[in-house]
Amino acid sequence: APAIAAALLLDTFLYNEFLIGGGTQWLWVEIYAFLYVQAVIVGAVARGLRAYWTEPIDG
């Protein structure tokens, strides 16, 4: 879901600001692939932080 939202925002921004209407197909494939990888990284970091914060504190 984060990748889809980010791709939609980027697509809208690029179209409205720079008028990239058609372009090459591969440009959008690369943009969506980058956004998907970015979403996976953010998800992995969030999962790691959640696991770190839920560890019991022995004190």
Side-chain angles (χ1 to χ4, degrees):
I4 294 170
L8 178 61
L9 290 174
L10 181 66
D11 188 13
T12 303
F13 174 75
L14 289 175
Y15 181 76
N16 290 334
E17 295 296 325
F18 301 107
L19 298 176
I20 299 175
T24 58
Q25 263 184 304
W26 293 111
L27 173 68
W28 295 113
V29 170
E30 291 172 3
I31 289 171
Y32 293 141
F34 170 74
L35 291 172
Y36 179 77
V37 169
Q38 184 180 12
V40 168
I41 292 170
V42 169
V45 169
R47 184 176 181 187
L49 288 175
R50 186 177 68 177
Y52 175 74
W53 284 331
T54 57
E55 289 179 1
I57 299 173
D58 295 332

